[in-house]
Amino acid sequence: MARKKAAPAKPALLAVRGITRTFGDRTILDGVDLDVRAGEAVGVVGPNGSGKSTLLRCIVGADDADGGESTLAGQPLDERRPGIRADLAVVMDDIDFFPDLSVVEHLDLVARAHAQPDAEEVVNVVLAEVGLMEVSGQLPSTLSSGQRRRLALASAFVRPRRLLVLDEPEARLDADGVAWLGDKLVAEKRAGRGVLMVSHDAGLVARVCDRVVRLGGAPEPADAD
């Protein structure tokens, strides 16, 4: 009896090859490779100073790598390119908010600027999901640090996206917030989106990530849902 051939692996949604970054005479990233497929989450872990955030910034084009390249669906990945912005949502630690717009106005502008269909409905759903409905009329400057982190995440979730790139998305969230985030990112995978995240929360990584990349080492498995 003939044996069934294994199904071919899905092509990578995000492909990162040979990313190198140096600062002076110090090499922070030395030829980093990784792939993220649709419906998959990949975590990047390592000690402080190992270049995790620098790697994400180089991948999305917010920082200039000294070598290597990143592609999203086969196209050079640069967050400044309109075609890439339509498929990519990024949350870094230095996200800016519109200081004179309320929470709901900020999210509505982000959604409409990225041509989100049914922007008003999407914004209302995301506001409820992230627990910001009660403060939706306030300015970002009046929010607590945890609420501002939820707003940063909401700014990604109101956009159309095929890939989420998140730098320590659990930062400044309480335990309930981290639990909600884990559920949300698992739902993102089930919707066929890719997730690349840096995190120090081992529980969140185990809950969400299919694979883990440790800087300076080989990929290793993670307990995935």
Side-chain angles (χ1 to χ4, degrees):
M1 182 175 177
R3 297 174 66 181
K4 283 187 177 181
K5 292 183 178 179
K10 291 189 291 186
L13 174 63
L14 170 68
V16 176
R17 296 292 180 270
I19 294 292
T20 300
R21 187 71 171 97
T22 60
F23 292 94
D25 59 358
R26 184 183 176 200
T27 298
I28 303 297
L29 302 170
D30 187 9
V32 178
D33 298 338
L34 62 86
D35 289 338
V36 180
R37 292 173 173 80
E40 178 183 53
V42 175
V44 179
V45 300
N48 289 334
S50 60
K52 301 182 300 296
S53 296
T54 299
L55 175 62
L56 294 196
R57 294 181 66 83
C58 287
I59 287 172
V60 302
D63 193 3
D64 293 325
D66 296 301
E69 63 176 4
S70 305
T71 59
L72 177 58
Q75 301 299 313
L77 198 164
D78 187 332
E79 193 184 12
R80 295 165 292 190
R81 299 176 58 187
I84 293 295
R85 286 201 303 273
D87 288 336
L88 176 68
V90 177
V91 178
M92 299 288 184
D93 201 40
D94 56 356
I95 188 170
D96 291 323
F97 304 115
F98 300 105
D100 298 323
L101 298 184
S102 68
V103 167
V104 66
E105 290 169 339
H106 167 81
L107 294 177
D108 187 71
L109 180 58
V110 171
R112 295 181 189 279
H114 291 89
Q116 175 68 275
D118 303 319
E120 183 176 353
E121 179 181 352
V122 170
V123 167
N124 286 334
V125 168
V126 171
L127 277 171
E129 285 183 343
V130 302
L132 292 179
M133 188 65 78
E134 292 185 359
V135 296
S136 62
Q138 295 181 204
L139 296 177
S141 61
T142 68
L143 303 179
S144 69
S145 61
Q147 289 171 328
R148 286 196 295 274
R149 193 56 172 175
R150 288 173 181 261
L151 178 55
L153 292 165
S155 299
F157 295 140
V158 298
R159 298 174 52 164
R161 57 203 179 276
R162 296 175 68 188
L163 176 69
L164 279 164
V165 177
L166 309 173
D167 188 8
E168 296 188 44
E170 77 282 2
R172 297 182 295 281
L173 295 182
D174 58 18
D176 288 342
V178 175
W180 160 80
L181 178 63
D183 291 342
K184 177 65 174 176
L185 294 181
V186 169
E188 290 287 299
K189 293 198 303 175
R190 289 175 178 159
R193 301 183 180 108
V195 179
L196 176 64
M197 58 184 282
V198 163
S199 177
H200 286 288
D201 189 312
L204 181 65
V205 170
R207 171 84 173 95
V208 173
C209 295
D210 302 282
R211 290 183 294 111
V212 174
V213 173
R214 186 175 299 277
L215 292 186
E220 58 187 44
D223 295 326
D225 186 280

